[in-house]
Amino acid sequence: MSVPFLPLTRPTIDDETIAGVAEVLRSGWITSGPKVKELEAKLSAHCGGRPVRVFNSGTCTMEIALRIAGIGPGHEVITTPLSWVATSHVILEAGARPVFVDIDPVTRNIDLDRIEAAITPATRAILPVDLAGLPVDRDRLYAIARQHGLRVVEDAAQAFGSTWAGKPIGAIGDFVSFSFHPNKNITAIEGGALVLNDEREAKLAEQYRLQGVVRTGFDGMEVEIVGGKFNLTDVAARVGLGQLPHLEAFNARRRELARAYFEFLDAPAMRALGLQLPPADFTRTNWHMFQVVLPEERLTIRRAEVMAKLHAAGIGTGVHYPPIHLFAVYRRLGWKEGDLPIAERVCRNILTLPLFPAMSRGDVDRVAEALTSVLSTHHK
Ligand SMILES: Cc1ncc(COP(=O)(O)O)c(C=O)c1O
């Protein structure tokens, strides 16, 4: 009997949401409208009542946050090299310079101990990422930001449903950005949300979202800033609304599956091989991803071959991510190999295993068994 291919991730969309989308499509209003407003209200409730605006991507929310903070040419923004490239592209889009700081090898997030050494008179903000949903230490992060008068744009694209000090990510802090891309813990097909500090910022975010337009009365229109076309459709918002009630159950299931990975992989044989597991955090993280770091010095094959062998065994894996500073765009800005050695080593060896709510315990066992078999067959 052949086993179906296990993808790296897959969204779970219920029938009610599918019916709700059909309803929106039949309603006569399919772009931004009442569903967008409803989604913003629900997200705001999730984020402790803070203002929230939704957009057609997580990427644009970060660029808009930087613009609202007045960050542009001549400014520097401190960020991590281990992220989706959007994280630092938005800094360039805003006209500022990204300054990469090496990561903590255990959390794989920006190393907070190294941030202060990277601060210069041009630094205006810190843009940290909660990789795989594991939150950066918010207490230390904001202590540093406060001490140096810096804004924070939290790239919490992967951290919806994660918590810090018992509160949801988004309920505390400065700007907080979420993504609802299909591989995230909840999706709106594509989409993002920005948590802001006050109504003034929220109004500015609305202007940046739609060509800078401000309407008044029946026929009034003014444009004082240049905005983009970043609005979310009601169709997408309806998908997001259908996902929200499942957030806790989805994340609880992810936690269970992550525990199952630990039961299998946190074994003496794997430890002896030097396979690095993620921090065993079962309180704060939403387990957006389960990432291992392969022990390159103990293996006779490289990551790509490990991935090919798992693929041949019917298992999808992913790389999240190559180090941003070594992409051509960033090399042209002067970044080079050896600048951020910890990130470079981790990025060469990091491997994301399948993890999504519809997976079974048997799927986890199958992945863990296949990985164990590949690593133990190809070690020095
Ligand atoms: C860490 C991180 N930052 C930013 C983004 C960008 O989000 P989006 O794809 O919604 O623009 C993503 C997801 O794709 C991400 O994982």
Side-chain angles (χ1 to χ4, degrees), residues 262-272 277:
F262 273 101
E263 276 168 33
F264 208 114
L265 294 176
D266 195 14
M270 283 294 98
R271 256 185 268 134
L277 300 179

Side-chain angles (χ1 to χ4, degrees), residues 32 54-57 60-61 63-64 67 205 208-211 227-232:
S32 313
V54 294
F55 301 80
N56 59 15
S57 76
C60 71
T61 65
E63 188 184 327
I64 289 169
R67 290 190 191 282
Y208 281 118
R209 181 169 66 179
L210 204 76
Q211 319 286 17
K229 184 72 166 66
F230 300 127
N231 57 307
L232 190 74

